[in-house]
Amino acid sequence: MEIGISTFVETTPDVKTGEVISHAQRIREVVEEIVLADRVGLDVFGVGEHHRIDYAASSPAVILAAAASRTEKIRLTSAVTVLSSADPVRVFQDFATVDAISNGRAEIMAGRGSFIESFPLFGYDLNDYDELFEEKLELLLKIVASEKVNWKGGHRPAIQNLGVYPRPVQDPLPVWIGSGGNSESVVRAGILGLPLVLAIIGGRPLQFAALVKLYKRAAAHAGHDLSKLTVASHSHGFIDEDTETAANKFFPSTQYVMNTLGRERGWGSYTRSSFDDARSIEGALYVGDPQTVAEKIIYLRKNVGITRFMLHVPVGTMPHEEVMGAIELLGKEVAPLVREEIARWESEGVES
Amino acid sequence: MEIGISTFVETTPDVKTGEVISHAQRIREVVEEIVLADRVGLDVFGVGEHHRIDYAASSPAVILAAAASRTEKIRLTSAVTVLSSADPVRVFQDFATVDAISNGRAEIMAGRGSFIESFPLFGYDLNDYDELFEEKLELLLKIVASEKVNWKGGHRPAIQNLGVYPRPVQDPLPVWIGSGGNSESVVRAGILGLPLVLAIIGGRPLQFAALVKLYKRAAAHAGHDLSKLTVASHSHGFIDEDTETAANKFFPSTQYVMNTLGRERGWGSYTRSSFDDARSIEGALYVGDPQTVAEKIIYLRKNVGITRFMLHVPVGTMPHEEVMGAIELLGKEVAPLVREEIARWESEGVES
């Protein structure tokens, strides 16, 4: 079981002071968060790509590179790369360079984008949302598979037998498919035999078990080795010494972000009671003391088949020290509890 | 006077052993070279962009970011960014992120590209060589000047009042124009009032004095403050304890690269005698002991008006320790000699 962090490098106003941190400061803080995650033994850190004023990471590879040269073991991934509006050649080059710097620790999580700001910015049409992703993923996988590339599509100039450099340390450079829970994406990932990352940020995580089954069925149908498939979840959460403190610290900025996005997307308003409900063992929020969060991760592993868990923290702007505290607890207390329990299953042959 | 290093992160075969270093290893070595350059007090480090098997840096910003988080003072620049075949929005986002990580030490050197591999790779037509650069430079400068961008051109989708993030620490983020010595580029840089970097890698450096005058005339004509204009040179060279050792170590890989490029471009063959000729005070090679190299840099400053000197080292693959040795001598011995002489001029009011 891999355990790590993902973040969107938000720069929303501080819910207490109203102060807005600069993009630059938040980026530097995130580099420190990745360095700490490595020191406390976490397995992976993911940085999401956005193109709006309240998010500072439009170039995840550049941020990950800054951390790559200061870390030893942690894997470094986008979470996600909005592949639909990117050039797969540049994406590969950027992450192959991160892979070089980190000596084989880079990954790409490719997604269609849950935010759509990048489409007008890079001149793409939202009507081509799915076709763009399909085509660009095909090109990215060709570049990953072979140094010399031949490719032709409708949304990017063709490539005739040209090399793409640098070549990475890992062969192949890992490419994950990021999905919000859409069955088509899950089937696509399965057919391609690619690792899958699910954004489990609402509803009941148990509902995702059906999607994981669908993914594995598609993969089996396409002839892939099921024992090599990995499924990650990306879920909001926060850890503190005790559960009430964790909840009280995490709620305000989460509410701010959920209501901001909710206004844009027509969601209902986000209340403390829906927040508290999602903290139950059946809910999608991983908020609490280390024991509570460890139990929920184990539950997710047992019932949904997740083999990598990424805690998304913070949601909105929280004080950097509080985020650092949660990362430290995840690495030093939660991860050992989870790993110990899974080692116990494995020694007892319980795991499916 | 700023003194620094530029490199193209080459992975040509070792001239002695025939061994080819991996892209990944060379990239990690370059990060160490930047860290050393910072420690020995150099002012700037530049990484060039190429898209071919014998060069490992297709993503200079990613490499610079890895160094940004491990350095304190050194400025970090591309040398150059092939802007003609890039998307200025991504270029800005990448370097604004490096600027964030380095807390205000990033620069972009924009060039049309002396290598043309990126044109077919990204689907551009070489017939549009100059128009592409002109148009993309215009967009890049708009993004640098203002958060919200309105722009329309022929080679990239239009942008209608959209923001580009993250915003950098430096306002404006420095954009230099890189030129091989073409008078049109120099005039363009002057008219725009942008700093100019000249690739002085052959012929007689004194011949560039006329170009610098042309640049300043164009700038004056456009109403720019001449006292704020800076001109950099980028020149091949190597430093060792004594001049003969420096020459003998630097010649073989330089000859290899000059002959490889010469075959592609129809140049004559590169001989030891043309190499030795270029080491004279009138020539374009900065090879020798610290005193010799310092004298040549001072000569360039005095006679051509260069205010930033970037030693391009290595040319082709040289042992990493030899490159580290040259960087250390440049920082610890050459730079103090040059700075002392210039301080003397300034105190005597000699400088023009």
Side-chain angles (χ1 to χ4, degrees):
Chain A
M1 184 75 170
E2 292 181 315
I3 297 180
I5 299 284
S6 65
T7 194
F8 288 169
V9 200
E10 286 139 291
T11 56
T12 53
D14 183 291
V15 280
K16 277 193 193 138
T17 65
E19 199 193 329
V20 179
I21 192 173
S22 72
H23 293 142
Q25 188 181 335
R26 183 68 195 120
I27 287 171
R28 289 194 298 275
E29 287 179 359
V30 163
V31 174
E32 296 306 323
E33 290 165 14
I34 304 174
V35 169
L36 176 65
D38 182 59
R39 303 244 158 97
V40 298
L42 289 170
D43 299 295
V44 58
F45 203 108
V47 174
E49 173 191 343
H50 295 81
H51 298 271
R52 38 190 286 166
I53 192 168
D54 45 358
Y55 292 77
S58 53
S59 303
V62 177
I63 296 175
L64 295 171
S69 67
R70 292 185 53 201
T71 51
E72 299 294 331
K73 285 191 174 171
I74 197 162
R75 299 190 66 75
L76 302 162
T77 185
S78 56
V80 300
T81 292
V82 185
L83 191 61
S84 317
S85 56
D87 183 341
V89 175
R90 296 276 184 193
V91 169
F92 178 85
Q93 292 176 327
D94 288 350
F95 283 86
T97 307
V98 176
D99 201 51
I101 295 159
S102 65
N103 205 2
R105 295 185 280 122
E107 300 181 2
I108 299 168
M109 290 187 177
R112 296 183 301 181
S114 113
F115 290 69
I116 54 173
E117 287 83 9
S118 64
F119 283 76
L121 187 58
F122 298 111
Y124 291 103
D125 187 341
L126 269 173
N127 291 323
D128 302 325
Y129 186 71
D130 200 61
E131 192 179 303
L132 278 166
F133 184 73
E134 189 103 23
E135 179 174 313
K136 295 194 172 204
L137 180 61
E138 184 199 40
L139 173 53
L140 179 63
L141 294 175
K142 281 203 167 188
I143 304 170
V144 165
S146 122
E147 181 174 327
K148 289 275 178 171
V149 177
N150 274 293
W151 179 88
K152 201 169 172 349
H155 298 279
R156 198 249 180 237
I159 299 180
Q160 295 186 347
N161 197 37
L162 296 176
V164 177
Y165 309 102
R167 297 313 296 179
V169 174
Q170 295 172 94
D171 183 17
L173 185 67
V175 175
W176 294 65
I177 299 295
S179 167
N182 169 293
S183 32
E184 267 181 50
S185 329
V186 156
V187 168
R188 170 162 45 210
I191 290 174
L192 293 168
L194 296 178
L196 174 69
V197 54
L198 294 165
I200 305 185
I201 55 171
R204 296 295 186 222
L206 276 198
Q207 294 166 334
F208 285 81
L211 275 179
V212 173
K213 275 195 191 124
L214 182 63
Y215 162 68
K216 292 193 173 167
R217 226 167 34 234
H221 185 76
H224 297 293
D225 179 354
L226 292 194
S227 73
K228 289 188 180 151
L229 295 181
T230 45
V231 182
S233 79
H234 153 275
S235 301
H236 295 170
F238 185 72
I239 311 162
D240 210 314
E241 295 297 345
D242 73 275
T243 293
E244 276 314 294
T245 307
N248 292 337
K249 284 184 180 170
F250 192 61
F251 174 68
S253 65
T254 298
Q255 182 186 42
Y256 177 91
V257 167
M258 293 318 239
N259 280 337
T260 302
L261 296 181
R263 270 191 302 276
E264 294 172 17
R265 299 177 185 192
W267 301 339
S269 101
Y270 191 86
T271 64
R272 177 73 196 224
S273 79
S274 53
F275 174 86
D276 287 335
D277 175 59
R279 292 197 289 118
S280 73
I281 188 77
E282 296 282 319
L285 276 181
Y286 294 75
V287 173
D289 63 20
Q291 186 67 41
T292 302
V293 172
E295 274 165 20
K296 289 194 73 164
I297 296 174
I298 291 164
Y299 181 83
L300 193 65
R301 164 71 178 251
K302 217 170 218 163
N303 296 291
V304 185
I306 298 300
T307 54
R308 171 187 281 188
F309 178 83
M310 298 175 81
L311 185 76
H312 189 84
V313 61
V315 178
T317 296
M318 288 178 73
H320 175 52
E321 322 78 72
E322 291 183 4
V323 177
M324 294 289 270
I327 292 170
E328 187 154 359
L329 289 172
L330 184 67
K332 290 190 174 166
E333 304 201 17
V334 175
L337 287 170
V338 175
R339 289 182 191 128
E340 198 177 301
E341 174 69 6
I342 288 168
R344 198 176 60 75
W345 301 349
E346 286 178 344
S347 73
E348 292 172 7
V350 170
E351 181 144 47
S352 61
Chain B
M1 182 77 170
E2 291 181 315
I3 296 180
I5 299 284
S6 65
T7 194
F8 287 169
V9 200
E10 286 140 290
T11 56
T12 54
D14 183 291
V15 281
K16 277 191 194 142
T17 65
E19 199 192 328
V20 179
I21 192 173
S22 71
H23 293 141
Q25 187 181 336
R26 182 68 196 119
I27 286 171
R28 289 194 297 275
E29 288 178 359
V30 164
V31 174
E32 295 306 322
E33 290 165 14
I34 304 175
V35 169
L36 176 63
D38 182 57
R39 303 246 156 96
V40 298
L42 289 170
D43 300 294
V44 59
F45 203 108
V47 174
E49 173 191 343
H50 295 81
H51 298 271
R52 39 190 287 166
I53 192 169
D54 45 359
Y55 292 77
S58 54
S59 303
V62 177
I63 296 176
L64 295 171
S69 67
R70 292 184 54 201
T71 51
E72 298 293 331
K73 284 191 174 170
I74 199 163
R75 299 190 66 76
L76 301 161
T77 184
S78 56
V80 301
T81 292
V82 185
L83 191 62
S84 317
S85 56
D87 183 342
V89 175
R90 296 275 185 193
V91 169
F92 178 85
Q93 290 177 328
D94 288 350
F95 283 86
T97 308
V98 176
D99 202 51
I101 295 159
S102 65
N103 205 0
R105 295 184 280 123
E107 300 182 1
I108 299 168
M109 289 187 179
R112 294 183 301 181
S114 114
F115 290 69
I116 56 175
E117 287 83 8
S118 65
F119 283 75
L121 186 59
F122 298 110
Y124 291 104
D125 188 339
L126 269 173
N127 290 323
D128 301 325
Y129 187 71
D130 201 62
E131 192 179 303
L132 278 165
F133 185 73
E134 190 104 24
E135 180 175 312
K136 296 197 170 201
L137 180 62
E138 184 199 40
L139 173 53
L140 179 62
L141 294 175
K142 280 202 167 187
I143 303 169
V144 164
S146 121
E147 181 175 328
K148 290 274 179 173
V149 177
N150 274 293
W151 179 89
K152 200 170 178 335
H155 298 278
R156 199 248 179 238
I159 299 179
Q160 294 186 346
N161 198 36
L162 296 175
V164 178
Y165 310 101
R167 297 312 298 178
V169 174
Q170 297 173 91
D171 184 19
L173 185 66
V175 176
W176 294 65
I177 299 295
S179 167
N182 168 294
S183 29
E184 266 180 52
S185 328
V186 156
V187 167
R188 170 163 42 209
I191 289 173
L192 293 168
L194 296 177
L196 174 69
V197 54
L198 293 165
I200 303 184
I201 56 172
R204 297 294 186 222
L206 276 199
Q207 293 166 335
F208 285 80
L211 276 179
V212 173
K213 275 196 192 124
L214 182 62
Y215 162 68
K216 292 194 173 167
R217 224 166 35 232
H221 184 77
H224 298 293
D225 179 352
L226 293 194
S227 72
K228 288 188 181 152
L229 297 181
T230 46
V231 182
S233 80
H234 153 276
S235 300
H236 295 170
F238 185 72
I239 311 161
D240 209 315
E241 294 297 346
D242 72 274
T243 293
E244 275 315 293
T245 307
N248 292 337
K249 284 182 179 169
F250 192 60
F251 174 68
S253 65
T254 299
Q255 183 187 41
Y256 177 92
V257 168
M258 293 317 239
N259 280 336
T260 303
L261 297 181
R263 272 192 301 277
E264 294 172 16
R265 300 179 185 191
W267 301 340
S269 101
Y270 190 86
T271 64
R272 177 73 195 224
S273 79
S274 55
F275 174 84
D276 286 334
D277 175 59
R279 293 197 288 116
S280 72
I281 188 78
E282 294 285 318
L285 277 181
Y286 294 75
V287 174
D289 63 19
Q291 186 67 41
T292 302
V293 172
E295 274 166 20
K296 289 194 72 163
I297 297 172
I298 291 165
Y299 181 83
L300 194 65
R301 165 72 179 251
K302 216 170 219 164
N303 295 291
V304 185
I306 298 300
T307 54
R308 170 188 281 189
F309 178 84
M310 298 177 81
L311 186 76
H312 190 83
V313 61
V315 178
T317 296
M318 288 178 74
H320 175 52
E321 323 77 73
E322 290 183 4
V323 177
M324 294 289 270
I327 292 170
E328 186 153 0
L329 289 172
L330 185 67
K332 289 191 175 165
E333 303 202 18
V334 176
L337 286 171
V338 175
R339 289 182 191 127
E340 197 177 300
E341 174 69 7
I342 287 167
R344 198 177 60 77
W345 300 351
E346 286 178 344
S347 72
E348 292 172 7
V350 170
E351 181 143 48
S352 61

